[in-house]
Amino acid sequence: DVVMTQSPLSLPVTLGQPASISCRSSQSLVHSDGNTYLNWFHQRPGQSPRRLIYKVSHRESGVPDRLSGSGSGTDFTLKISRVEAEDVGVYYCMQHTHWPPYTFGQGTKLEIK
Amino acid sequence: EVQLVQSGGGLVKPGESLRLSCAVSGFTSSNAWMIWVRQAPGKGLEWVGRIKSKSDGGTTDFAAPVKGRFTISRDDAKNTLYLQMNSLKTEDTAVYYCTTDLNWIWGQGTMVTVSS
């Protein structure tokens, strides 16, 4: 199984400041079709997860451009250029290049300082 | 509007069975691969299993902890997905979510508690 490792697991950030979350996979996530199936999800307390980013860097409709995804191979990053109050919650990376199973990172909890 | 509405959770004893449902509206789920994910209390997300679309064979895959105990089925005429959970264990206690890798919209989640 592909292991997804996120860091940090806890991320206190001051409003208006940038934030960055790393996600590393135990093997390359490049699929034989040339795509890299790496998603980022955000889960607010008591809510269902919401996908923010798909295929490494493509933002879902409605996701602000303050959020961006990047990376390749085994190293991926989610960046928030200026953290706002609505960004609190837990962020998960997830791969579905190599399945089964689809695998998630442990989650990174973002909170406001 | 795309919606996935779940039902069927509850409290059961170890060894018992439970069936969860996920009713899809706003898009035709027959072309989608449908997925179940769970989240134990205070923990992260864990993929449970997936059923392919009928056009892709309709086959299922499961995570190791539930393989042989859980089954996934779909009724495309009703746009509904099911998760049949047998021989439940205390470690299956979690919120269960349905979603689809067509658009990764998630259901509201349903709590399953396995306790004697």
Side-chain angles (χ1 to χ4, degrees):
Chain A
D1 297 357
V2 177
V3 177
M4 306 296 288
T5 304
Q6 290 182 227
S7 63
L9 300 185
S10 177
L11 185 55
V13 184
T14 302
L15 285 172
Q17 292 301 302
S20 180
I21 300 170
S22 169
C23 175
R24 290 199 165 122
S25 56
S26 59
Q27 61 187 90
S28 173
L29 298 186
V30 180
H31 193 273
S32 56
D33 66 5
N35 290 307
T36 300
Y37 295 103
L38 186 283
N39 293 332
W40 287 97
F41 294 91
H42 178 217
Q43 186 178 33
R44 295 190 177 101
Q47 294 188 13
S48 301
R50 172 198 179 196
R51 188 170 68 168
L52 302 172
I53 303 282
Y54 62 96
K55 287 196 279 187
V56 180
S57 60
H58 296 80
R59 268 189 301 274
E60 286 285 355
S61 174
V63 173
D65 58 9
R66 302 182 291 105
L67 278 70
S68 62
S70 63
S72 63
T74 60
D75 288 339
F76 305 93
T77 303
L78 177 69
K79 291 183 178 175
I80 306 174
S81 60
R82 298 173 310 279
V83 168
E84 297 186 4
E86 65 179 21
D87 299 328
V88 298
V90 183
Y91 292 81
Y92 297 93
C93 60
M94 189 216 79
Q95 71 83 25
H96 59 118
T97 293
H98 305 288
W99 49 263
Y102 297 6
T103 47
F104 291 90
Q106 316 96 301
T108 295
K109 185 174 184 179
L110 186 150
E111 61 179 20
I112 304 300
K113 275 188 197 174
Chain B
E1 182 193 3
V2 175
Q3 274 195 312
L4 283 73
V5 178
Q6 299 181 227
S7 58
L11 171 64
V12 295
K13 292 180 169 53
E16 294 186 343
S17 299
L18 202 58
R19 188 176 84 157
L20 307 183
S21 299
C22 173
V24 175
S25 61
F27 74 99
T28 303
S29 63
S30 59
N31 295 327
W33 292 15
M34 301 299 296
I35 296 156
W36 289 97
V37 174
R38 67 184 181 183
Q39 186 170 37
K43 302 296 185 184
L45 301 171
E46 179 188 22
W47 181 81
V48 172
R50 180 217 58 221
I51 185 166
K52 294 182 179 179
S53 61
K54 284 199 166 56
S55 61
D56 286 329
T59 55
T60 55
D61 290 289
F62 294 93
V66 307
K67 199 168 185 178
R69 299 187 297 121
F70 289 14
T71 58
I72 299 174
S73 59
R74 60 194 301 161
D75 184 336
D76 290 335
K78 294 182 179 178
N79 246 10
T80 301
L81 172 74
Y82 302 99
L83 178 65
Q84 177 68 42
M85 303 183 291
N86 298 330
S87 303
L88 281 160
K89 304 177 180 181
T90 55
E91 53 264 40
D92 295 319
T93 294
V95 174
Y96 285 73
Y97 296 99
C98 59
T99 183
T100 165
D101 67 359
L102 188 65
N103 54 31
W104 288 95
I105 304 293
W106 295 59
Q108 82 277 19
T110 186
M111 185 71 206
V112 172
T113 304
V114 185
S115 175
S116 53

